[in-house]
Amino acid sequence: MSFKKVGIIGAGQMGNGIAQVAASTGLPVQVMDVSDESLKKGLATVEKSLGRLLKKEKITQDQKEKTLKLIEWSTSLESLKSCDIVIEAATENLELKLQIIRNLNEVLDESAILCSNTSSISITKMASVYKKPENFAGMHFMNPVPIMVLVEGIKGLQTSDQNFARVKLFAEDLGKTFVVSEDRPGFIVNRILMPMINEAAYTVMEGICTVEDADAAMKLGTNQPMGPLTLADFIGLDTCLAIMNVLYDGMGDSKYRPCPLLAKYVEAG
């Protein structure tokens, strides 16, 4: 293994998924979140996910128990002190992420690698507030993490080649396929995916078709496993809107303008 202990910030859907995958390879994992409630939900999700794998006979009872024992849960940032790689998987909000990174400057060892699971925010911008920007990289896992094999790797302007190679090796140790993206808004997946989802929202807003017909057309016409609007619900409309705003602001191109109907649905909750 390329690292000895993995730290994860955020016990939500992405964070607990990364924790499960890392622990299932035999790595000790420390998950940190701001509330006990979030941690309990994260643990329950991992237990449920492992239970499904056990039922399908993809793991044994012993493997399930070992995986759970390797994950520790804490509300203290100090709990990450002994980790040699930390993955930030907090909400897709730049200011929140920057504050977390600033706080980690006081906690992590000089040699620790810090990665962000951001799906669209500039790695270079986040690395600029880390004490060792050459140790900072993007590591964008796909949801759900235990099932999806892709990880997008993103180098910031100052990320060292040596550290980026270690991040790639770590992803491969987790059984993931690693693709490399330049540090541009949306990277690869969301640069392609989000405009499609946004355009699907426009077809509904303009009365071209219903939600159901938009999804059926793309499923049956392009052999996608689910329609773009069903996928948007699965991702979260707020996340889709946030990524479209990053693309629009970052590119300055009207083709990335978020669909007003998408924005309205997010406002409506």
Side-chain angles (χ1 to χ4, degrees):
M1 283 292 177
S2 47
F3 295 98
K4 294 178 181 177
K5 187 174 183 180
V6 182
I8 295 165
I9 298 173
Q13 199 167 29
M14 298 305 294
N16 66 57
I18 299 167
Q20 177 185 326
V21 170
S24 68
T25 66
L27 278 168
V29 179
Q30 178 66 61
V31 182
M32 180 270 161
D33 208 318
V34 292
S35 73
D36 287 323
E37 184 182 355
S38 297
L39 295 173
K40 285 176 184 174
K41 284 182 181 177
L43 172 57
T45 301
V46 173
E47 287 176 331
K48 187 175 180 182
S49 175
L50 291 170
R52 284 196 297 267
L53 292 173
L54 180 63
K55 192 174 181 181
K56 292 177 182 177
E57 298 183 344
K58 292 188 175 181
I59 61 170
T60 64
Q61 181 66 33
D62 185 53
Q63 286 173 315
K64 177 186 174 181
E65 289 171 6
K66 282 182 178 176
T67 298
L68 289 170
K69 282 179 183 176
L70 282 168
I71 307 174
E72 295 182 7
W73 309 81
S74 175
T75 55
S76 169
L77 209 62
E78 287 288 327
S79 66
L80 302 170
K81 202 174 186 69
S82 60
C83 300
D84 51 356
I85 183 169
V86 172
I87 301 166
E88 171 276 310
T91 305
E92 195 73 349
N93 177 289
L94 175 60
E95 290 308 315
L96 173 64
K97 290 180 184 291
L98 291 177
Q99 189 55 56
I100 288 169
I101 295 164
R102 289 189 189 101
N103 292 341
L104 286 170
N105 283 331
E106 307 300 319
V107 175
L108 298 183
D109 187 82
E110 291 280 318
S111 63
I113 303 293
L114 178 56
C115 294
S116 176
N117 182 58
T118 179
S119 56
S120 60
I121 296 170
S122 167
I123 298 303
T124 299
K125 186 178 289 187
M126 286 188 282
S128 70
V129 301
Y130 189 48
K131 61 184 175 182
K132 300 280 282 185
E134 64 270 28
N135 291 10
F136 194 97
M139 200 177 188
H140 179 213
F141 291 80
M142 303 295 125
N143 185 34
V145 181
I147 295 170
M148 302 293 278
V149 298
L150 182 70
V151 170
E152 287 183 313
I154 309 98
K155 278 180 72 174
L157 188 64
Q158 299 179 74
T159 311
S160 76
D161 290 341
Q162 181 183 0
N163 286 329
F164 196 63
R166 291 184 71 199
V167 170
K168 179 178 186 291
L169 182 60
F170 173 59
E172 291 169 348
D173 285 343
L174 299 183
K176 303 300 184 184
T177 299
F178 192 82
V179 298
V180 180
S181 171
E182 287 292 315
D183 188 17
R184 304 285 174 80
F187 313 131
I188 301 170
V189 173
N190 283 322
R191 175 74 179 269
I192 298 168
L193 174 64
M194 287 303 159
M196 181 185 72
I197 287 174
N198 197 53
E199 201 59 33
Y202 269 115
T203 63
V204 174
M205 187 184 82
E206 293 171 10
I208 294 170
C209 61
T210 63
V211 168
E212 292 76 18
D213 284 352
D215 276 352
M218 295 306 291
K219 276 179 68 179
L220 303 177
T222 63
N223 204 29
Q224 296 182 26
M226 69 175 76
L229 296 171
T230 297
L231 179 57
D233 276 335
F234 184 72
I235 295 167
L237 299 186
D238 53 344
T239 300
C240 293
L241 180 61
I243 295 169
M244 284 309 301
N245 279 323
V246 167
L247 289 171
Y248 188 45
D249 294 342
M251 302 291 189
D253 191 324
S254 61
K255 73 179 180 179
Y256 298 113
R257 183 171 71 95
C259 176
L261 183 63
L262 176 61
K264 189 179 288 185
Y265 268 69
V266 172
E267 286 175 0

